[in-house]
Amino acid sequence: DPDPLTREWKQSNNARLMPEINKLMIAQEHGIVTMFGSLYVRVFTPFAGVNPMKVKLLSDNLAKTFDGRWTPECQEAMSQIARVYDYGLASLRLVTTAGVNFIVDGFQGTQNISTLRYHGIGTGTNAESTGDTALQTESTTALTPASTRATGTLTEGASANIYRTVGSNVVNTSVTIAEHGIFNQAATGGGTLLDRSQFAGIGLVNGNTLQTTYDFTIAAGG
């Protein structure tokens, strides 16, 4: 990675990622069916004179147009109005008990699993747990609009067994984001948490857009 900021971040985040990567490799080697979430992160910093909401709008439109893929066309379009920092894979954890219970309720018709598309972000640094039902310290007034999680896209990932959602949160102050969650409602402070990811802190400043891509992989077999 030619950018020293993201290169250093990847090095610091590696200690969190490697144990999870190793678990997946072992599962693959032994033919064990796995279900897991993957979180990818980019930060867009508007150039001078560019309205941050214009950057968010472009981020949302690119995600819809290209089904959540970050193509050379996406890079070119965003680079016209903002500096792009691609942090890549941030986390491979953690699908929660509340999340899988919500999915089971969806099969029974008592919940709508397509509502699991809202991207919450926060500053908490506690490790993830299957018992998590919320982010440790979710950002509220630091978001634009305030107390409103990003509405993510609904699409497939690289294959038909991967659910992908891409959301873009804009911040209005300096903040270090270190956790992310997928919820079933836009308003902060409530809803069901499908997946919580904790990662090395990413420093944002007023006007930055944090684009998060979440892939939920469900494997066939047995």
Side-chain angles (χ1 to χ4, degrees):
D1 192 325
D3 179 73
L5 180 67
T6 54
R7 183 173 63 246
E8 290 173 11
W9 179 87
K10 289 174 183 179
Q11 291 172 349
S12 68
N13 196 56
N14 197 46
R16 295 172 172 82
L17 272 181
M18 288 312 300
E20 303 312 314
I21 291 174
N22 289 337
K23 287 178 185 177
L24 289 176
M25 290 177 64
I26 292 171
Q28 265 191 338
E29 180 181 350
H30 293 279
I32 300 170
V33 177
T34 55
M35 175 184 73
F36 61 95
S38 308
L39 181 71
Y40 302 83
V41 176
R42 293 183 188 87
V43 174
F44 307 136
T45 301
F47 293 140
V50 176
N51 188 325
M53 298 312 292
K54 181 177 181 181
V55 176
K56 172 180 166 51
L57 179 62
L58 178 59
S59 179
D60 287 338
N61 286 341
L62 290 174
K64 292 175 184 176
T65 302
F66 293 92
D67 292 329
R69 294 174 291 117
W70 188 253
T71 66
E73 291 87 353
C74 294
Q75 180 75 24
E76 174 64 23
M78 185 59 74
S79 295
Q80 300 301 308
I81 62 173
R83 175 75 185 270
V84 178
Y85 297 91
D86 195 342
Y87 288 83
L89 179 63
S91 177
L92 286 169
R93 290 169 58 89
L94 175 91
V95 180
T96 68
T97 299
V100 296
N101 289 348
F102 187 94
I103 292 171
V104 171
D105 289 342
F107 283 119
Q108 300 173 75
T110 58
Q111 296 289 356
N112 179 1
I113 60 174
S114 69
T115 60
L116 292 169
R117 63 184 300 183
Y118 298 98
H119 295 239
I121 57 176
T123 59
T125 58
N126 286 353
E128 308 94 324
S129 167
T130 55
D132 287 341
T133 58
L135 297 185
Q136 179 191 347
T137 311
E138 186 168 8
S139 296
T140 54
T141 57
L143 303 177
T144 301
S147 302
T148 305
R149 299 167 180 143
T151 301
T153 58
L154 294 171
T155 187
E156 290 180 0
S159 57
N161 67 309
I162 300 174
Y163 163 58
R164 172 172 290 175
T165 176
V166 183
S168 300
N169 281 290
V170 181
V171 300
N172 55 39
T173 188
S174 294
V175 62
T176 299
I177 298 301
E179 59 179 338
H180 169 274
I182 295 293
F183 294 87
N184 71 322
Q185 71 175 48
T188 59
T192 297
L193 175 65
L194 169 65
D195 184 295
R196 177 169 176 256
S197 300
Q198 200 280 316
F199 42 86
I202 297 175
L204 305 178
V205 298
N206 182 16
N208 281 178
T209 292
L210 182 76
Q211 185 196 64
T212 44
T213 300
Y214 175 74
D215 283 353
F216 185 31
T217 300
I218 306 170

